[in-house]
Amino acid sequence: MSQYNRRTIVRGAAWTIPVVAVASTAPAFAASTDTPVVPGPGAFTVCKQPGGPNGPNCQGYKFSLNLTVQPSDTWTIQFTQLTVDGTNFLPQTSPQTFQVTATANLINFVFCTASSPSQFNLTLRYSATNQRTGVTTTGLGGTYVLSGVRNCA
């Protein structure tokens, strides 16, 4: 004779179905962390800082970047490349690291150049670290043609 009767087996099977359903949805939720992205050239605003040159051979420019950030996570953005018209401005860019969220996703940074262009070819590369998961994604960004440079208010 069997140690288990039919009622015991059915009762045990009924409890396994909800456990399997919960376990299968948890990994999908944990993996849905899209990195912050630059949605295109329209994400940037560029203006020339007032007061003429901001030092010897230096015209200051302020860039504002509005990243698209998914809700619920905080990200650390680290610039890894900032090239304007072929010149590397990363060493003089201040700051280079930012915290962003879905509600605080505007990044402002400044640099100066000896020229005073009305259009920029900007190559911006960055890494993004998800503060909840600790996962870092590198090689983000791209090259953007930015025009319509105005004086900062």
Side-chain angles (χ1 to χ4, degrees):
M1 184 165 211
S2 172
Q3 294 178 359
Y4 302 104
N5 65 33
R6 191 170 45 116
R7 287 185 182 163
T8 303
I9 292 171
V10 170
R11 209 176 9 214
W15 281 105
T16 61
I17 293 169
V19 171
V20 169
V22 170
S24 67
T25 58
F29 174 74
S32 63
T33 54
D34 296 335
T35 57
V37 296
V38 178
F44 291 92
T45 334
V46 184
C47 65
K48 188 186 310 185
Q49 293 185 318
N54 299 102
N57 297 322
C58 177
Q59 172 58 60
Y61 288 89
K62 177 181 174 186
F63 280 65
S64 296
L65 167 60
N66 192 0
L67 290 172
T68 299
V69 181
Q70 297 298 315
S72 78
D73 283 337
T74 299
W75 294 83
T76 299
I77 304 298
Q78 172 71 50
F79 287 169
T80 56
Q81 179 183 2
L82 178 64
T83 306
V84 178
D85 295 332
T87 302
N88 179 16
F89 283 99
L90 187 61
Q92 63 172 282
T93 303
S94 173
Q96 294 178 355
T97 303
F98 305 88
Q99 297 286 320
V100 295
T101 65
T103 57
N105 57 346
L106 186 64
I107 293 177
N108 292 305
F109 56 98
V110 296
F111 72 90
C112 70
T113 179
S115 64
S116 186
S118 61
Q119 176 175 307
F120 291 94
N121 293 310
L122 171 72
T123 300
L124 176 65
R125 298 272 182 224
Y126 61 95
S127 64
T129 302
N130 185 305
Q131 295 304 299
R132 179 176 55 85
T133 65
V135 174
T136 299
T137 305
T138 60
L140 300 168
T143 300
Y144 311 93
V145 176
L146 308 177
S147 58
V149 177
R150 56 180 174 73
N151 290 329
C152 296

